[in-house]
Amino acid sequence: MLCNQWKCFLFLVFAFAATTADSSRVLELSDRFLDVRNEGQWFVKFYAPWCAHCKKLEPVWAHVAQALYNTNIRVGRVDCTRFSAVAQAFRVSAYPTIMFIKGPYDYVYTGDRTKEDLLHFVNRMSGPPVQQVTRPDSIDILKANNPIFFTYVGKQDGILWDVFYSAAESYQPHGYFYATSVEIAKRHFGIDTVPAALVYKERSHYYFPYSDNFDLLEPAHLNESLFRWVNEERFPTFPKVTRSNIHHIVQTKKYLVLAVVEENKLSEIAAHEQEFRDMVEIFVHKNKQKYHGRFQFGWVGTPDLAHSIAMDTLATPHLIVLNASTNEHHIPEDDPLQLTPEAIELFLDSIHNQTAPTFGGNSLPVRIYRAWFEAKTSLYDMWLGNPVLTSVLFGLPLGFLSLIMYSICCADILDAEEEEDEPRHEKKE
Ligand SMILES: *[C@@H]1O[C@H](CO)[C@@H](O)[C@H](O)[C@H]1NC(C)=O
Ligand SMILES: *[C@@H]1O[C@H](CO)[C@@H](O)[C@H](O)[C@H]1NC(C)=O
Ligand SMILES: *[C@@H]1O[C@H](CO)[C@@H](O)[C@H](O)[C@H]1NC(C)=O
């Protein structure tokens, strides 16, 4: 027993020595992490050595650990191929998975994997769901630092406050929520009725539509409306869409219009693609009012996301529109580089009046084709991450499989011959 603990101690010392040696502040966690997860706050990356996206995240993660070194948040990583018990306990199903762990609660990070966004996330998650604003100038600081935040104004009790607080708890991983007094709010926002909920978004502010008659709504209806409002308003007008946030964006029940360009490893975009994206962005901001109700816009820096919508490898840049409720998509007929704002307007109008050509959908053949396309793409990604391991993983079973198939086929032929032989014997006797 004692010996065991001594070994553990040595192992810990070793682990720390190893991490400081390559000057990284990232703690190497093992299955023993399960014993200490409830102690304090953790920011953990679950990864697999063969995964390409994990490798890309590595330097960013080291910077995050460095930035959080003098805080009470510990930054670690778990190799899920070695410590599968931890991976299972946290229901990790994709690599990399990033989680903020606070006592018995864990929150999966779904944003962009940049140092800034990761630190914003930690900053949000380490505090309470709704933060109190008690100084008048704090709102100016918030406006300067956050393009979007939600604020509750008024006395903190009653149904609107309860619903706002529970939405804040649910959406804490995705947005900032504050509460303040009428006196402070008056200096920054035009206030008609209190209590009220509002969102500050890209230098304007908008009230929760039912703020002035919320007491007429059924509690369940109010709850649902406020949750939907938060999910709709928490996205900027022209956000970057990634594999992780697309599931939330499509919940807005609007058409999703994506400008697809290709970013390289340094997040740089070729000049002509940048021009295309800027053209779409300007168009979107100019026509914000016209399209706000039916369309959510965004841009994509990794074409593979658009490929899985289109089930095809389209050249960048291009424009694609997804109807998430039917899984159908639309693509303009014109050459993307020749697209003008007028052409985009006509294209969106034809989608709106349902005359645009439609692709994809949810029919069985399309679903099968989509599954096949996804499998093919993930295998290719895995190959890019680690060709040797992929060939071994898939090569060996395939080798075995062909051996088994071969023996089954041969056995069948042999059996058949035997069966044919036997009756002849019988006839002779
Ligand atoms: C409010 O709505 C959200 C989302 O629809 C739901 O998850 C939550 O349970 C609801 N809360 C109450 C108290 O009904
Ligand atoms: C998606 O297509 C269906 C059927 O054509 C249509 O009823 C629905 O309005 C479309 N979705 C959106 C977000 O408009
Ligand atoms: C649909 O919109 C397109 C583009 O504005 C227009 O050319 C077409 O005539 C419209 N069709 C119908 C049936 O309204």
Side-chain angles (χ1 to χ4, degrees):
M1 194 61 196
L2 227 159
C3 182
N4 223 347
Q5 278 173 358
W6 182 237
K7 265 191 209 157
C8 272
F9 175 67
L10 270 185
F11 171 74
L12 272 179
V13 168
F14 238 79
F16 277 104
T19 49
T20 43
D22 71 340
S23 76
S24 164
R25 306 286 193 193
V26 180
L27 302 172
E28 297 287 347
L29 304 173
S30 68
D31 282 339
R32 298 179 53 82
F33 173 56
L34 292 175
D35 303 334
V36 296
R37 61 158 291 177
N38 283 324
E39 290 162 22
Q41 303 190 336
W42 295 86
F43 200 31
V44 179
K45 172 182 90 166
F46 297 86
Y47 74 104
W50 49 257
C51 128
H53 292 294
C54 304
K55 286 205 179 112
K56 211 173 131 193
L57 177 61
E58 220 160 278
V60 178
W61 199 245
H63 281 126
V64 168
Q66 182 66 40
L68 294 174
Y69 184 57
N70 280 323
T71 68
N72 59 354
I73 297 151
R74 279 168 290 177
V75 180
R77 62 175 193 176
V78 178
D79 178 349
C80 296
T81 58
R82 285 173 65 204
F83 305 110
S84 49
V86 187
Q88 250 169 23
F90 286 96
R91 305 169 306 280
V92 172
S93 60
Y95 305 123
T97 293
I98 297 172
M99 256 184 225
F100 187 83
I101 300 156
K102 183 158 70 166
Y105 303 105
D106 50 67
Y107 305 86
V108 176
Y109 177 74
T110 56
D112 226 7
R113 298 191 194 115
T114 62
K115 181 187 163 193
E116 291 71 33
D117 288 3
L118 287 162
L119 289 176
H120 260 294
F121 175 74
V122 169
N123 182 24
R124 264 201 312 274
M125 297 313 298
S126 57
V130 178
Q131 301 187 30
Q132 302 292 334
V133 176
T134 48
R135 288 186 14 223
D137 53 348
S138 300
I139 299 226
D140 290 319
I141 298 170
L142 295 180
K143 283 180 175 174
N145 289 315
N146 304 316
I148 299 177
F149 60 85
F150 294 87
T151 304
Y152 176 91
V153 181
K155 248 178 86 186
Q156 293 168 19
D157 58 16
I159 174 124
L160 189 64
W161 167 249
D162 291 344
V163 171
F164 184 84
Y165 194 88
S166 97
E169 278 180 320
S170 296
Y171 284 103
Q172 190 181 6
H174 308 295
Y176 283 100
F177 294 83
Y178 300 98
T180 194
S181 64
V182 184
E183 291 69 43
I184 292 179
K186 261 191 189 147
R187 301 178 182 213
H188 299 274
F189 312 109
I191 302 283
D192 288 341
T193 56
V194 281
L198 64 90
V199 59
Y200 172 83
K201 184 164 168 175
E202 292 165 356
R203 298 192 198 86
S204 319
H205 65 275
Y206 310 92
Y207 278 93
F208 170 54
Y210 301 103
S211 273
D212 48 359
N213 62 351
F214 66 89
D215 38 1
L216 301 179
L217 292 183
E218 290 279 318
H221 186 120
L222 176 68
N223 176 61
E224 198 206 315
S225 311
L226 195 110
F227 269 72
R228 188 152 22 95
W229 175 70
V230 169
N231 190 49
E232 265 177 29
E233 296 297 339
R234 72 191 179 88
F235 297 105
T237 310
F238 193 63
K240 181 174 183 180
V241 176
T242 61
R243 235 170 229 288
S244 34
N245 70 11
I246 190 168
H247 302 292
H248 296 279
I249 294 186
V250 295
Q251 279 170 22
T252 58
K253 300 208 164 43
K254 297 178 188 176
Y255 286 106
L256 180 58
V257 186
L258 296 176
V260 184
V261 296
E262 179 152 25
E263 279 182 325
N264 67 11
K265 288 207 172 71
L266 301 170
S267 300
E268 294 161 346
I269 304 169
H272 67 289
E273 302 201 359
Q274 179 86 42
E275 218 169 89
F276 173 79
R277 194 192 72 183
D278 291 349
M279 184 270 290
V280 177
E281 182 164 11
I282 292 168
F283 170 84
V284 170
H285 280 286
K286 257 194 195 150
N287 297 283
K288 212 154 114 181
Q289 297 307 328
K290 175 171 177 187
Y291 294 114
H292 180 259
R294 292 296 301 275
F295 295 89
Q296 166 71 50
F297 296 86
W299 68 278
V300 170
T302 47
D304 57 338
L305 180 59
H307 294 167
S308 42
I309 294 174
M311 297 172 287
D312 195 359
T313 47
L314 299 167
T316 53
H318 66 264
L319 197 69
I320 186 166
V321 181
L322 171 69
N323 177 339
S325 47
T326 60
N327 257 327
E328 287 168 341
H329 63 273
H330 310 274
I331 296 171
E333 281 158 4
D334 305 343
D335 173 3
L337 285 175
Q338 311 293 328
L339 266 183
T340 57
E342 294 73 34
I344 297 182
E345 197 165 353
L346 280 179
F347 173 56
L348 295 183
D349 287 346
S350 70
I351 291 172
H352 189 71
N353 69 16
Q354 302 199 338
T355 54
T358 303
F359 308 95
N362 273 332
S363 64
L364 187 63
V366 175
R367 291 211 313 260
I368 293 173
Y369 184 79
R370 186 174 290 128
W372 178 80
F373 184 84
E374 287 293 316
K376 191 180 72 169
T377 327
S378 2
L379 197 64
Y380 182 66
D381 277 355
M382 207 170 145
W383 168 262
L384 284 186
N386 194 333
V388 176
L389 188 68
T390 314
S391 353
V392 173
L393 270 180
F394 287 88
L396 272 185
L398 277 183
F400 277 120
L401 195 68
S402 44
L403 248 167
I404 293 167
M405 295 300 275
Y406 179 76
S407 50
I408 289 174
C409 291
C410 291
D412 267 345
I413 294 164
L414 291 178
D415 283 350
E417 278 172 357
E418 269 170 21
E419 271 168 21
E420 273 175 12
D421 276 347
E422 270 171 14
R424 262 186 246 148
H425 273 286
E426 277 168 11
K427 268 179 203 164
K428 269 183 192 169
E429 282 166 6

